[in-house]
Structure formats: C-alpha cells, structure tokens
Amino acid sequence: MRALDIVCVIATLCALSALVFLSVYFIRLRSLLHKYGTFQCALRRKGGRWIPGILVLQADSIDWYPRRSLVLNSKRSLPRELIEILGHRQGVVPGTTVVEFLGDGVEYEAALRTAQFAGVVSWIDSAPPAEEPADF
C-alpha cells in the first residue's frame, strides 16, 4: 500500500469513530432530556466548580447526570428524605436561581431556572409524611 492509501484509511476510521461517539452522546442526551421531571442545571459542592448536567426528579430521589459524559448511570443520586433546602439566591444570569441544599450530609449548590426551582420545591414538599399521624 502506498502512504496516501494508509492516510486515507486512518482518516476514514477517525471520522467514523467521531461519528459513532457523537451519535451515542446525542442519543444519551436526548433520552435523558425526554424523561418526565427532567431539566438542565449546573451542580457543585459548596465552593467547588460548576459542572453542567441534567437533573431528574424520581419518585424517591434526585438523580444527576453530567452533561459531558457517555455513562448511562447517574453520577449522584440523593434520596428525597435526606434533601434539605438551606437557602436560595438570584443567580448571576438573569432568570436563574442558585439553590443551596444539604443532600446526604453534603452541601451542594444547583443553578437552575427560577421556574424549575419552584418545581423542585413542589417535588420536595409533595413527599409523603415521614411517619403516620397518631390517632387521638
């Protein structure tokens, strides 16, 4: 084989690999964003670096998936009963809210749209009571 043929084969393989990678990435992103109770947000540990991702409200937990990943499992899963909102403030970007919350003993901050913040608060408030009320 000539050197030019080898270069063409390598370039074709690289292009096909990139196409497969991008296809898997966008299929994952689309499947995550089309779930009910899903929205984009940025998450960080208190004082850490913001990481863009996708927040999914499950029946009994919040699952967070990093946006720049091919992994199908959530990176963080916080049980509903262990989530406590500590406070919130206006974000740097207009229309965003930064929520400070305690999840499983760790302080986090999430930057999300104000309407999505209202949805998260409703989701937390709509949890069933932790214990049955006593009959009097």
Side-chain angles (χ1 to χ4, degrees):
M1 283 183 103
R2 296 181 316 179
L4 184 59
D5 293 339
I6 293 172
V7 169
C8 287
V9 168
I10 291 173
T12 303
L13 289 175
C14 288
L16 286 174
S17 298
L19 183 63
V20 168
F21 174 81
L22 288 174
S23 297
V24 169
Y25 174 76
F26 285 115
I27 288 170
R28 173 191 173 268
L29 195 62
R30 182 178 169 92
S31 69
L32 283 174
L33 287 173
H34 279 77
K35 291 181 180 179
Y36 182 75
T38 302
F39 48 88
Q40 294 187 47
C41 77
L43 184 72
R44 70 178 179 178
R45 286 187 178 213
K46 184 80 171 182
R49 183 175 61 92
W50 289 107
I51 301 171
I54 299 164
L55 203 66
V56 180
L57 302 176
Q58 301 288 353
D60 57 353
S61 66
I62 286 182
D63 294 336
W64 185 79
Y65 299 83
R67 189 169 34 187
R68 295 182 188 126
S69 175
L70 294 178
V71 178
L72 298 176
N73 298 331
S74 63
K75 181 159 183 167
R76 303 236 189 291
S77 185
L78 303 171
R80 183 184 215 155
E81 64 271 3
L82 298 179
I83 297 174
E84 178 186 346
I85 294 180
L86 302 174
H88 62 89
R89 65 182 186 278
Q90 181 68 34
V92 176
V93 178
T96 62
T97 301
V98 176
V99 184
E100 299 170 8
F101 65 96
L102 191 63
D104 207 11
V106 179
E107 283 190 48
Y108 292 99
E109 291 180 321
L112 44 115
R113 293 187 189 115
T114 304
Q116 294 167 339
F117 169 61
V120 171
V121 170
S122 299
W123 176 82
I124 290 173
D125 288 343
S126 68
E131 56 187 59
E132 292 294 320
D135 290 332
F136 292 104

